[in-house]
Amino acid sequence: MLKEDFGIEIEKEFERRFFIYPEGGEDEINIYAEARQNGSKIYIIGESKASIGKNDIKDFSKVIERARNYLKADVFPLMLCYSIHPNVEADLKKEHPHIKLYRSYELSKRARQKGIHL
């Protein structure tokens, strides 16, 4: 989906990862991958939750900034959920348009359309 939607080529498979920062603190990264977009190296940093709320978005935007500073590279932020309230989704699109949102059932639907069984 990322290739179709954003021209992103995954170089290393998705995994869960921890970032332990030199100045202290850490973040658990639910979705991490190294990729290329338009020939440039990027990192996919994602959060996965059954349901996303406003505080989840606020917390994730802070993780993105820490990750961007830690990696010293472009980060493609991604949230994956099953459910999101329409008001929360509207806020996400308005306040954080750089964060891309997918619903988990979209993955299954698009895979089935391509004849892939998850």
Side-chain angles (χ1 to χ4, degrees):
M1 287 174 55
L2 293 175
K3 183 176 182 176
E4 288 177 14
D5 295 348
F6 303 104
I8 293 175
E9 296 280 345
I10 304 301
E11 292 186 327
K12 288 189 176 180
E13 291 201 27
F14 288 93
E15 63 183 9
R16 179 179 295 262
R17 185 172 274 206
F18 284 86
F19 288 168
I20 301 172
Y21 303 112
E23 65 278 357
E26 65 181 48
D27 284 315
E28 181 178 3
I29 309 299
N30 293 151
I31 301 168
Y32 170 88
E34 296 176 19
R36 291 214 172 263
Q37 185 179 37
N38 301 321
S40 298
K41 177 131 183 162
I42 64 168
Y43 294 87
I44 298 168
I45 303 295
E47 178 73 10
S48 178
K49 292 193 166 288
S51 180
I52 294 174
K54 288 183 181 185
N55 286 336
D56 297 319
I57 296 167
K58 187 184 328 178
D59 292 345
F60 182 57
S61 68
K62 292 175 185 174
V63 169
I64 293 165
E65 284 309 308
R66 288 191 296 269
R68 189 174 279 130
N69 292 332
Y70 177 70
L71 296 167
K72 296 180 181 17
D74 287 331
V75 169
F76 183 89
L78 172 70
M79 293 192 93
L80 179 66
C81 69
Y82 183 78
S83 166
I84 185 169
H85 190 279
N87 292 339
V88 175
E89 184 173 4
D91 285 348
L92 174 65
K93 289 178 180 177
K94 180 180 177 191
E95 302 296 325
H96 304 278
H98 59 288
I99 298 175
K100 305 308 176 200
L101 175 69
Y102 284 106
R103 289 170 179 79
S104 56
Y105 53 83
E106 286 180 276
L107 302 176
S108 299
K109 179 181 176 185
R110 286 176 71 172
R112 279 193 309 276
Q113 290 171 344
K114 295 186 177 306
I116 300 169
H117 300 284
L118 300 178

